[in-house]
Amino acid sequence: MIDTYSWFAVYPDVLLLAMACIIALVDLQATDARRNLTYVLTVGTLAVVAYLYGSHAAAGDTVYGFGNMVVSDAMGNWLKCFSAIAVIVTLVYGRPYAASRDMSTRGGELFTLSLFALLGMNIMISGNNFLVIYLGLELLTLSSYALVALRRDDGVATEAAMKYFVLGAMSSGFLLYGLSMLYGATGTLDITQVFNAVDPAAGGVPLNHQVLVFGLVFIVAGLAFKLGAAPFHMWIPDVYQGAPTAVTLIVGGAPKLAAFAIVIRLLVEGLLPLAFDWQQMLAVLVVASLLVGNLAAIAQTNLKRMLAYSTISHMGFVLIGLMSGVVNGDAAGTYNAYSSAMFYAVTYVLTTLASFGVIMLLSREGFESEQISDLAGLNQRSPLYAAVMAICMLSMAGLPPTVGFYGKLAVLQALVSSGLTVYTGLAVFAVVMSLIGAFYYLRVTKVMYFDAPTSQAKIEGGADVRFVLTINGALVLVLGIVPGGLMALCAQAMVRTLGN
């Protein structure tokens, strides 16, 4: 018999699964092309589960269920809440976009597969066991493959889906092989027990350090694939460009929060005694991501491809926070470093939602607003949408008073506070790369405000899209001016999660 605590840990996820199945069945009977009922049920379901996750997160309780295979804690519940909200915003932006495209994206698959993708994210975030994390990862990736391939007759989308599938399978193989090595060395799949096995202070049987590090290399490589960090970034530009823009946002938004969560689960909660080893690996990923992401983005004329390369550089900043927690064996700075990384990941997703929302709003049937030149003179056509896009570009560049500036400041502060000379040098390198990245972000702003319009087509968007986009853009600005609330939330979540 399953105890009450087990159900308490997973009942929002069970509700999400049940509703995803019900909505899929309801959609089979739908006759209207816009799938109004499917859309309403999907958004309603997401709103309810977001509220449930937020309520659990605010309570701050940590509950283990099903033999410690799943965990419900503050960090996980906040990330689930933010992921559900991100999917809601994505569907609000994506519904008009999908409705004006061919029937393959006009059906209910966009909504039902989004729900199953979110369920996969939530299972990943809740996982306290290697198998649970891997099952959630596979549910997310299989749903994502199908979403990218929704335009079955589009050669570019099909090519992107195949690349995504092949490289995604490779990364899953890397991660699975690394986890199997750790299982062979420790004899357990439970993350808490893995920590006790590799921690010398726990008094367990001494383990072969070389075997642990060998498995760790594959785990870090698999996680880097999921985050999109260089040199494991090859799938990101092609998938971002080839997928329908609504799907690009599904793939590039909320899953980043789930990827961040499994990095915390595996590397921090499970393998913190090996921090000296995996932090060196993350340092290499940081340098490669900042270098490749910013330099490659300069040469892009396709807006979605440019944002793909910028994603790689932003993941480098997330990794900066993750590699700053333990200094010379001292874990005193873990809460500050990891909460800064969480803050950066959440605010990056927020900014990404608004930027892709503008791209979808400017697209219309038979025309994809994917080139930077398509934004020419946007301020003359719509000052509001140009302002939202400009705020997003300034935030991604890390310029005040946007939230991107505070996010970069927080992770760099955590890095510099370590006191290590090499970390200070890495912080200087990150700042230089940000200055280079500012070029391609400001180029987009220049095109919107100073170039002549190439099109006079009316920009159409429903009241719900305009409202959500306005709030989205305003949050990017407001959270940069008063970031204390969200930063405190992230810090409190990390203290409650890692302090247990």
Side-chain angles (χ1 to χ4, degrees):
M1 181 178 293
I2 303 300
D3 59 89
T4 305
Y5 284 105
S6 295
W7 286 114
F8 182 81
V10 301
Y11 81 86
D13 301 322
V14 174
L15 173 63
L16 179 61
L17 172 62
M19 288 304 299
C21 295
I22 291 172
I23 292 171
L25 293 174
V26 169
D27 185 70
L28 290 175
Q29 310 301 321
T31 56
D32 61 307
R34 293 182 62 86
R35 295 299 198 272
N36 292 317
L37 180 59
T38 305
Y39 172 74
V40 170
L41 288 174
T42 301
V43 172
T45 299
L46 292 171
V48 170
V49 296
Y51 171 77
L52 294 176
Y53 296 138
S55 299
H56 289 181
D61 298 327
T62 298
V63 178
Y64 292 88
F66 299 95
N68 286 341
M69 293 183 71
V70 297
V71 58
S72 172
D73 54 23
M75 181 200 74
N77 283 317
W78 277 125
L79 290 176
K80 288 180 183 179
C81 178
F82 294 146
S83 297
I85 294 172
V87 175
I88 291 175
V89 174
T90 300
L91 294 180
V92 170
Y93 295 157
R95 185 195 181 206
Y97 174 90
S100 63
R101 297 313 187 268
D102 55 46
M103 285 302 296
S104 61
T105 55
R106 200 180 298 162
E109 292 87 353
L110 177 67
F111 306 112
T112 54
L113 287 173
S114 296
L115 290 175
F116 283 112
L118 178 63
L119 179 62
M121 297 177 218
N122 293 342
I123 294 173
M124 290 167 60
I125 294 171
S126 298
N128 193 50
N129 182 286
F130 290 163
L131 283 180
V132 174
I133 289 176
Y134 189 74
L135 287 173
L137 178 63
E138 288 304 293
L139 178 56
L140 168 61
T141 52
L142 289 173
S143 301
S144 300
Y145 301 152
L147 283 166
V148 174
L150 272 182
R151 288 182 181 167
R152 295 181 293 273
D153 299 328
D154 189 316
V156 177
T158 305
E159 179 186 354
M162 288 301 297
K163 290 179 179 178
Y164 192 17
F165 173 75
V166 172
L167 294 175
M170 185 187 304
S171 68
S172 296
F174 279 2
L175 183 61
L176 190 60
Y177 187 70
L179 294 176
S180 68
M181 292 291 293
L182 283 184
Y183 172 67
T186 62
T188 180
L189 296 172
D190 187 283
I191 290 177
T192 305
Q193 294 180 25
V194 168
F195 178 90
N196 294 331
V198 300
D199 185 12
V205 178
L207 302 177
N208 189 319
H209 185 74
Q210 291 182 330
V211 174
L212 292 175
V213 173
F214 186 67
L216 189 59
V217 169
F218 283 94
I219 289 176
V220 171
L223 294 175
F225 261 109
K226 300 308 177 185
L227 281 170
F232 306 99
H233 65 283
M234 296 80 70
W235 61 274
I236 288 189
D238 290 329
V239 171
Y240 272 47
Q241 181 181 2
T245 307
V247 174
T248 301
L249 186 51
I250 294 174
V251 172
K256 300 303 182 189
L257 301 178
F260 170 82
I262 63 171
V263 172
I264 294 292
R265 299 289 188 214
L266 294 176
L267 298 186
V268 178
E269 293 187 335
L271 300 171
L272 192 62
L274 300 177
F276 177 77
D277 299 294
W278 57 256
Q279 284 183 169
Q280 294 182 74
M281 302 177 198
L282 295 189
V284 175
L285 296 177
V286 167
V287 173
S289 298
L290 293 176
L291 196 63
V292 172
N294 286 301
L295 294 182
I298 293 175
Q300 305 306 315
T301 58
N302 184 284
L303 184 56
K304 288 167 64 177
R305 200 171 183 87
M306 186 207 81
L307 291 174
Y309 280 108
S310 80
T311 295
I312 298 167
S313 68
H314 287 296
M315 291 304 102
F317 274 97
V318 172
L319 293 176
I320 284 177
L322 292 169
M323 63 169 284
S324 308
V326 180
V327 181
N328 294 328
D330 184 6
T334 52
Y335 299 138
N336 178 46
Y338 301 148
S339 63
S340 298
M342 180 178 172
F343 178 88
Y344 196 101
V346 171
T347 54
Y348 163 75
V349 172
L350 178 69
T351 309
T352 298
L353 290 170
S355 57
F356 277 96
V358 173
I359 294 174
M360 279 187 275
L361 193 65
L362 296 179
S363 301
R364 56 187 183 277
E365 187 171 5
F367 173 73
E368 297 288 338
S369 180
E370 294 184 356
Q371 300 299 318
I372 295 176
S373 58
D374 294 334
L375 299 180
L378 179 59
N379 182 56
Q380 300 175 36
R381 299 170 59 196
S382 174
L384 173 62
Y385 302 145
V388 171
M389 193 64 166
I391 290 171
C392 292
M393 293 298 103
L394 294 176
S395 180
M396 290 186 177
L399 298 178
T402 60
V403 71
F405 168 76
Y406 190 84
K408 284 183 169 62
L409 178 64
V411 295
L412 291 175
Q413 189 177 39
L415 187 65
V416 173
S417 63
S418 65
L420 298 180
T421 303
V422 64
Y423 278 12
T424 303
L426 183 58
V428 173
F429 174 76
V431 171
V432 172
M433 289 296 103
S434 292
L435 291 175
I436 294 174
F439 166 77
Y440 55 84
Y441 293 123
L442 294 178
R443 179 179 60 183
V444 174
T445 306
K446 174 261 180 187
V447 167
M448 291 190 298
Y449 281 89
F450 298 103
D451 286 9
T454 57
S455 172
Q456 298 297 332
K458 184 180 179 182
I459 302 176
E460 297 180 353
D464 56 341
V465 177
R466 295 195 302 271
F467 175 76
V468 173
L469 186 61
T470 303
I471 297 298
N472 196 168
L475 282 174
V476 175
L477 184 60
V478 171
L479 288 175
I481 300 172
V482 283
L486 181 58
M487 192 68 217
L489 183 149
C490 294
Q492 187 180 56
M494 282 298 168
V495 169
R496 288 179 171 175
T497 299
L498 301 180
N500 290 306

